[in-house]
Amino acid sequence: MKVKSLEIADVLLIEPTVYGDDRGFFFESFNQAQFSALVGQDLTFVQDNHSKSARGVLRGLHYQIKQPQGKLVRVVDGEVFDVAVDLRKASPTFGKWVGETLSADNKRQLWIPAGFAHGFLVLSESAQFLYKTTDFYSPENERAIIWNDPTLNIRWPIDTMPILSRKDAVAQAFPDAEVFAGSLDS
Ligand SMILES: Cc1cn([C@H]2C[C@H](O)[C@@H](COP(=O)(O)OP(=O)(O)O[C@H]3O[C@H](C)C(=O)[C@H](O)[C@H]3O)O2)c(=O)[nH]c1=O
């Protein structure tokens, strides 16, 4: 497994060791011991999620103000541009974002600790997105930041309007008081 630190501390890009042979390939998509050693703590994942989206769909930017979720995300079909935004108010990179291309081909995973907003844009005809979370879904605590917030200025690789859910189309602006009030300490 290769691990790359990104411009925001604690967000990690993970490239698993892939064993190929004339049948195809095998790789460990998750190993608790390796992951705990990597992040330096014994995190427990309590939920697995799986979504499928068409080209141009953008899901996000979502976070939970209570029960913040750490997410270990990967793509098993297609390709996405995956983004994490630092909402940890004590962080020197508060309000900064990182983006990585994750695909079934590159098999890369992104570890996004609790305290981040998360979203992705589908770059392929369709994409299947799998992720593990360190806390449960809590709809009453879920918040959304608009994908093209001018303060965040995320450089999404799209020059048309993405396909958004109704919720995401009317999401909040970043410098919203609640975000600062609700921004996460982890
Ligand atoms: C997230 C979630 C959703 N749902 C239900 C609620 C809705 O009836 C339906 C679709 O939910 P939503 O439109 O919020 O799904 P996404 O837009 O993919 O949301 C996700 O988008 C970005 C990428 C994230 O990082 C979050 O994990 C999550 O917010 O699934 C559940 O039952 N459990 C869940 O954990």
Side-chain angles (χ1 to χ4, degrees):
M1 169 170 77
K2 283 191 286 186
V3 180
K4 180 183 165 195
S5 297
L6 303 176
E7 301 77 51
I8 296 180
D10 307 323
V11 179
L12 299 173
L13 184 66
I14 300 167
E15 294 192 1
T17 302
V18 181
Y19 300 94
D21 61 27
D22 53 11
R23 298 169 297 169
F25 67 78
F26 175 93
F27 70 99
E28 291 184 1
S29 54
F30 176 71
N31 178 305
Q32 182 67 64
Q34 282 187 7
F35 185 77
S36 299
L38 179 63
V39 298
Q41 50 180 312
D42 274 336
L43 288 170
T44 305
F45 290 101
V46 297
Q47 190 175 312
D48 279 352
N49 296 333
H50 183 165
S51 66
K52 179 177 180 179
S53 312
R55 183 189 300 276
V57 166
L58 193 154
R59 293 180 185 251
L61 298 153
H62 302 158
Y63 64 101
Q64 294 187 165
I65 55 171
K66 288 193 178 63
Q67 292 179 225
Q69 297 173 305
K71 297 168 185 168
L72 181 60
V73 307
R74 68 191 181 109
V75 171
V76 293
D77 173 42
E79 184 177 56
V80 310
F81 183 71
D82 198 75
V83 170
V85 180
D86 194 351
L87 298 181
R88 301 169 302 179
K89 61 186 168 196
S91 168
T93 49
F94 176 72
K96 299 294 180 219
W97 63 276
V98 288
E100 290 293 334
T101 300
L102 309 179
S103 71
D105 289 345
N106 71 25
K107 299 177 181 59
R108 288 174 166 179
Q109 303 183 13
L110 204 57
W111 162 240
I112 305 164
F116 284 74
H118 173 245
F120 65 86
L121 170 68
V122 178
L123 304 175
S124 48
E125 199 47 41
S126 75
Q128 295 202 45
F129 193 85
L130 272 60
Y131 53 115
K132 308 173 85 68
T133 63
T134 59
D135 211 328
F136 294 106
Y137 176 53
S138 174
E140 65 277 13
N141 288 306
E142 189 182 53
R143 299 293 183 273
I145 297 172
I146 196 75
W147 67 282
N148 59 352
D149 182 274
T151 305
L152 295 179
N153 191 26
I154 296 168
R155 290 190 304 282
W156 298 98
I158 187 169
D159 49 16
T160 57
M161 262 304 279
I163 301 166
L164 302 168
S165 66
R166 262 200 300 277
K167 170 182 74 177
D168 290 349
V170 297
Q172 295 171 311
F174 170 70
D176 160 79
E178 182 191 2
V179 174
F180 287 106
S183 61
L184 306 154
D185 294 319
S186 50

